[in-house]
């Protein structure tokens, strides 16, 4: 699916006059993407939601891209084969890039199991703009939570290519942040992200 790229020689992108740094300055913030990766039920959506609430309360301009929700719209044509998952990650990465370009702090909650695909997304962004957050829970913990009953169905063979069961999860080697959700409750995990962010300049376009 991702192999069929071509360059359209008839495309001449217009030079746009309002630059990303100007859009960021208008929002008085430094745009970035907070990329939450981890097993299903590790806590990505829960923690991303709490982080967005915290940023919103602080007056930041944010948007939360949730992998499950995107699969009902933009990505509804994609399944869970390795090729479809790669395309899923690529599309979400491109959308996040547009939103960062628009000046937003973008939160992405997406299993995104493959290291190489996440690294390709990272390469779309300027240094420091892609913040990889490993929402880390051992499989046994995620499986015990199983809020949507997906692990149970995967174990019964009703769901194929389920990450952690019959499809691999490649943990980040050097994420900007790792949240141990077996030890931290969601509020404390979210606070760790907010604390980490407050240690870097959020104001201005620098
Ligand atoms: P994901 O987006 O990674 O699939 P969700 O956030 O949808 O995960 O679901 C995680 C579930 O686990 C939620 O029901 C949440 O309340 C629960 N949970 C229990 N402990 C934690 C924790 N420490 N961190 C995050 N979620 C937790």
């Amino acid at each position: 699916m991702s192999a069929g790229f071509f360059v359209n020689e008839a495309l001449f992108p217009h030079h746009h006059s309002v630059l990303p740094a100007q859009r960021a300055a208008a929002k008085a913030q430094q745009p970035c993407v907070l990329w939450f990766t981890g097993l299903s039920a590790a806590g990505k959506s829960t923690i991303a939601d709490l982080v967005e609430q915290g940023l919103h309360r602080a007056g930041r301009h944010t948007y939360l891209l949730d992998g499950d929700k995107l699969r009902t719209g933009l990505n509804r044509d994609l399944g869970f084969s390795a090729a479809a998952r790669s395309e899923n990650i690529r599309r979400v990465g491109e959308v996040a890039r547009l939103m960062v370009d628009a000046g937003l702090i973008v939160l992405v909650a997406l299993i995104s199991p493959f290291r190489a695909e996440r690294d390709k997304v990272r390469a779309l962004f300027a240094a420091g703009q892609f913040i990889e957050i490993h929402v880390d829970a051992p499989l046994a913990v995620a499986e015990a939570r199983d809020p949507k009953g997906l692990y149970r169905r995967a174990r019964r063979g009703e769901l194929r290519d389920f990450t952690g069961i019959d499809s691999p999860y490649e943990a980040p080697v050097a994420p900007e942040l790792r949240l141990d959700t077996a030890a931290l409750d969601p509020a404390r995990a979210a606070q760790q992200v907010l604390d980490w962010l407050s240690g870097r300049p959020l104001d201005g376009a620098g």
Side-chain angles (χ1 to χ4, degrees), residues 103-120:
L104 297 173
I105 296 172
V106 183
L107 303 94
V108 174
L110 189 68
I111 297 173
S112 45
F114 304 132
R115 208 171 283 140
E117 305 300 334
R118 293 192 304 268
D119 287 346
K120 275 190 218 158

Side-chain angles (χ1 to χ4, degrees), residues 43 93-94 98 108 114 143 149 154 156 184 206:
E94 291 287 350
L98 292 174
V108 174
F114 304 132
E143 194 167 355
R156 283 203 298 255
L184 290 173

Side-chain angles (χ1 to χ4, degrees), residues 22-120:
Q22 293 170 301
R23 286 187 289 267
K27 291 184 164 50
Q29 63 184 21
Q30 188 181 347
C32 63
V33 57
L34 303 170
W35 190 279
F36 296 82
T37 172
L39 293 172
S40 179
K44 302 177 296 298
S45 300
T46 304
I47 295 166
D49 183 63
L50 290 169
V51 172
E52 187 179 31
Q53 287 180 46
L55 290 169
H56 188 70
R57 272 196 299 273
R60 302 299 172 201
H61 300 250
T62 60
Y63 198 83
L64 172 50
L65 290 167
D66 190 293
D68 285 350
K69 279 200 199 130
L70 289 169
R71 278 187 176 276
T72 68
L74 176 68
N75 293 337
R76 70 179 170 203
D77 57 323
L78 299 176
F80 291 90
S81 67
R85 280 173 182 271
S86 297
E87 176 62 8
N88 188 43
I89 294 165
R90 189 190 72 79
R91 287 186 198 173
V92 178
E94 291 287 350
V95 172
R97 176 163 74 152
L98 292 174
M99 291 186 162
V100 166
D101 224 46
L104 297 173
I105 296 172
V106 183
L107 303 94
V108 174
L110 189 68
I111 297 173
S112 45
F114 304 132
R115 208 171 283 140
E117 305 300 334
R118 293 192 304 268
D119 287 346
K120 275 190 218 158

Side-chain angles (χ1 to χ4, degrees), residues 170-194:
E170 299 172 356
V173 177
E176 276 72 10
L177 260 171
R178 179 180 159 271
L179 305 172
D180 177 0
T181 72
L184 290 173
D185 67 27
R188 287 185 58 207
Q191 193 57 50
Q192 256 193 29
V193 178
L194 293 168

Side-chain angles (χ1 to χ4, degrees), residues 131-145:
I131 296 149
E132 189 173 20
I133 302 171
H134 184 197
V135 182
D136 195 3
L139 177 63
V141 170
E143 194 167 355
R145 288 181 190 154

Side-chain angles (χ1 to χ4, degrees), residues 7-16:
V7 175
N8 187 334
E9 288 172 8
L11 286 180
F12 294 94
H14 194 273
H15 170 76
H16 293 140

